[in-house]
């Protein structure tokens, strides 16, 4: 027999996926502020292609970039509260990452338009994230959002 408290605790798979993705973004955002995990930490800029800091020595980051990851993670945690919210987070968030992938490929590395900043590793990670998030939304979310699962 299901009680209201146990019913609330049960999460649809799409909600679990959004929660996990949100937690990963929170971790990545926080790690971007830790010297050593972020190489060349002394060259971390607020927002500029001139930020020489790289998360894990690979992904170019800035303070803005880290803050965006933290905000994206927090949004995931909040929207994971309902199946419809989790589905929207994964689907729309994935689409945003695909747009960011195209943007990263289009903007010059030394351009002022590369203010986030992005490098080649970031670009390809954005493609993978976009596909993965949309895939999770479509694979896990359709049934949950149609049945009204919390």
């Amino acid at each position: 027999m299901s009680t209201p408290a146990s019913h609330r605790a049960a999460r649809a798979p799409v909600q679990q996926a959004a929660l996990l993705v949100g937690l990963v973004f929170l971790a990545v955002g926080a790690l971007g502020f830790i010297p050593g995990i972020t190489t060349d930490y002394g060259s971390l800029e607020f927002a500029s292609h001139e930020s020489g800091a790289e998360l894990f020595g690979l992904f170019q980051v800035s303070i803005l970039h880290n803050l965006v990851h933290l905000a994206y993670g927090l949004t995931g945690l909040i929207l994971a509260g309902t199946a419809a919210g989790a589905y929207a987070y994964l689907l729309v968030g994935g689409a945003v990452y695909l747009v960011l992938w195209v943007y990263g490929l289009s903007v010059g590395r030394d351009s002022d338009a590369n203010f986030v900043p992005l490098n080649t590793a970031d670009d390809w990670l954005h493609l993978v994230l976009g596909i993965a998030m949309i895939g999770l939304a479509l694979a896990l979310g359709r049934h949950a959002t149609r049945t009204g699962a919390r």
Side-chain angles (χ1 to χ4, degrees), residues 17-145:
L19 186 63
L20 178 62
V21 170
L23 288 171
V24 169
F25 277 114
L26 279 175
V28 166
L31 291 172
F33 289 112
I34 300 175
I37 295 174
T38 298
T39 58
D40 296 321
Y41 189 80
S43 67
L44 184 70
E45 299 280 334
F46 178 75
S48 168
H49 66 275
E50 294 176 3
S51 182
E54 293 182 329
L55 182 61
F56 306 122
L58 186 61
F59 303 103
Q60 191 175 10
V61 294
S62 65
I63 293 169
L64 177 63
H65 203 151
N66 293 334
L67 292 174
V68 167
H69 286 141
L70 290 170
Y72 223 70
L74 184 58
T75 301
L77 297 185
I78 292 167
L79 292 177
T82 66
Y87 178 79
Y89 172 71
L90 293 170
L91 189 66
V92 173
V96 167
Y97 268 98
L98 291 180
V99 168
L100 196 54
W101 170 63
V102 171
Y103 180 78
L105 293 177
S106 304
V107 68
R109 295 287 172 235
D110 294 328
S111 166
D112 287 340
N114 187 18
F115 64 93
V116 174
L118 305 170
N119 65 12
T120 302
D122 290 307
D123 292 339
W124 295 107
L125 179 61
H126 293 157
L127 172 64
V128 170
L129 285 170
I131 291 170
M133 289 175 75
I134 290 171
L136 285 168
L138 296 177
L140 303 174
R142 288 180 179 218
H143 176 72
T145 56

